[in-house]
Every structure is written in C-alpha cells, then in structure tokens.
Amino acid sequence: MHDIEIKKIARMAVDVRDRAYAPYSNFKVGACIKGESGAYYTGCNIENASYGLTNCAERTAIFKGVSECEKRFTAIAISGAYDDFPMPCGACRQVMTEFCGPDMPVIVVNRKGDYRVYELGALLPHSFDKSQLK
C-alpha cells in the first residue's frame, strides 16, 4: 500500500471519528475500510448504557460494507483521539478475519496524525476461520 493511499484512508478515518457516539467513555474512534471493489466505508464507535451492546468503529465500517454487498476488504484505518495508537479489540480482529486476508494492512492513527501499519495476521495469529468449520 502506497503512502498516498495510506494517508487517504487515514484521513477518512479521522474525519468520521468526530461522529462517534461515546457519552460514557468519551473514547471516540473512527474507521475506514476499503473494499475489494475500491469503495470505502466509514464507521465510528456507538456506545450504549449497556456496554455489551456498544459497537466499535471497525465493525460499524465492515458491517456497512457488507450491507452494500462488499464481502472482501483490502485495508482498514482506525483513528483515535489520543496520543496512543488505537489497536482493534479482539472482537473486531475476529470480524476482520471473516472478511479480510491475513496480509491486509491495519493502519492505526493517533490524534497527531502519526500512523503505524500492521498485518491482520500479526494482530490475530492462529485465528478461527471458516476453514475450521469443514
């Protein structure tokens, strides 16, 4: 993935971050995922007073893409509003595994705009996937 494309997808994740509904944690996160078709889908975290019903930005973006008939994704950027880099939670990593390859870039962006790039397989090694259901 080229630096220009990384910056584009990262900017989209930053832009959607302010739409987050985070009245309980005030931990706002934005995500942008690129579909195999070339389309981009954004999402933000949406909290609920019953924390278990909260949805992360990454899953919001993926579910939006899937609802638009996208089934494979090639890159994701995740933006947080803090100095630390916002790593995806375990549930999000597992959902990514369902729709993304292990070499998919996962770009994490802090509030300063600094970013790091990881491969999904490195973030969730030995994942449970569809091949184990046979």
Side-chain angles (χ1 to χ4, degrees):
M1 182 169 233
H2 300 325
D3 194 52
I4 292 171
E5 188 168 9
I6 289 172
K7 288 180 179 176
K8 176 182 179 177
I9 194 171
R11 180 79 241 159
M12 294 173 79
V14 168
D15 289 346
V16 74
R17 182 181 68 210
D18 288 334
R19 297 183 198 165
Y21 178 74
Y24 307 103
S25 71
N26 201 34
F27 189 80
K28 294 184 175 190
V29 179
C32 180
I33 194 159
K34 183 178 181 185
E36 205 170 57
S37 70
Y40 292 90
Y41 305 92
T42 60
C44 57
N45 57 316
I46 304 166
E47 293 182 349
N48 190 283
S50 174
Y51 286 119
L53 300 178
T54 293
N55 202 55
C56 298
E58 301 92 309
R59 284 180 283 144
T60 300
I62 292 168
F63 296 160
K64 282 173 68 176
V66 171
S67 74
E68 296 296 323
C69 296
E70 196 84 56
K71 298 293 189 283
R72 298 295 298 166
F73 300 95
T74 60
I76 190 168
I78 306 158
S79 170
Y82 300 95
D83 290 340
D84 291 336
F85 293 93
M87 300 304 292
C89 73
C92 288
R93 294 174 196 204
Q94 182 60 48
V95 170
M96 285 182 217
T97 298
E98 184 73 16
F99 298 103
C100 312
D103 59 342
M104 183 190 77
V106 177
I107 304 146
V108 291
V109 186
N110 68 11
R111 73 173 173 162
K112 296 184 246 180
D114 300 326
Y115 65 87
R116 294 181 181 166
V117 182
Y118 299 91
E119 286 191 353
L120 177 58
L123 296 180
L124 189 62
H126 313 291
S127 64
F128 180 82
D129 64 27
K130 295 176 262 196
S131 68
Q132 297 170 343
L133 298 175
K134 296 177 183 176

